Amino acid sequence: MSKKHRKFASGAIRDIDENKEDYIETISWTAFKRYAKYMTSKKKKYGSGNFKKGIPIESYEQSLVRHLQKYLENKYEEGVVEKEEDHLSAMVFNIFGILHEEERNNKKN
């Protein structure tokens, strides 16, 4: 058997895990659940998968900075700016959006 495979007590073999993404140990499922709740709450307003249609990176950047400003004002300056909005999840959305568009652009090139 090649070093690229591993063998289990049952006799089954599989490729080794080397150089494969680890979605179990590298993701905070608590944070992921909060983000999913945020995204689900936006489906009614924007539709399911709206971002997949393509949004310019500059739009994500502008929104990211606005949500950062609101988050910081609320946290450090006793602000009351859109307190009902989950600004951290909105920032994650915008960062993921930038990543999404960069990867789409890389696939085109």
Side-chain angles (χ1 to χ4, degrees):
M1 181 174 11
S2 151
K3 290 184 181 182
K4 302 258 184 209
H5 294 90
R6 55 194 163 144
K7 186 172 185 176
F8 299 97
S10 66
I13 60 171
R14 290 201 61 145
D15 290 341
I16 60 173
D17 289 336
E18 187 177 303
N19 299 320
K20 293 182 181 179
E21 295 90 355
D22 181 348
Y23 294 100
I24 302 300
E25 296 296 327
T26 60
I27 294 174
S28 164
W29 295 104
T30 302
F32 191 68
K33 183 175 182 177
R34 177 172 160 181
Y35 178 68
K37 183 178 177 183
Y38 170 82
M39 291 298 289
T40 301
S41 76
K42 300 299 180 183
K43 280 172 52 173
K44 187 173 185 179
K45 182 176 182 179
Y46 298 106
S48 184
N50 178 63
F51 70 95
K52 294 178 184 178
K53 296 175 184 175
I55 296 174
I57 288 175
E58 295 78 16
S59 178
Y60 284 121
E61 292 169 341
Q62 290 291 327
S63 181
L64 172 64
V65 174
R66 284 192 301 270
H67 283 287
L68 175 61
Q69 180 277 322
K70 291 170 187 176
Y71 170 78
L72 293 174
E73 181 177 336
N74 289 342
K75 183 172 183 179
Y76 294 110
E77 297 183 10
E78 300 177 22
V80 291
V81 182
E82 298 176 12
K83 294 285 276 188
E84 70 287 348
E85 182 76 11
D86 185 349
H87 295 293
L88 286 175
S89 289
M91 286 186 275
V92 169
F93 167 75
N94 286 291
I95 291 169
F96 277 9
I98 293 167
L99 291 169
H100 179 78
E101 291 302 326
E102 285 185 352
E103 289 303 309
R104 280 183 51 188
N105 292 337
N106 287 340
K107 288 179 181 177
K108 290 178 187 175
N109 297 330

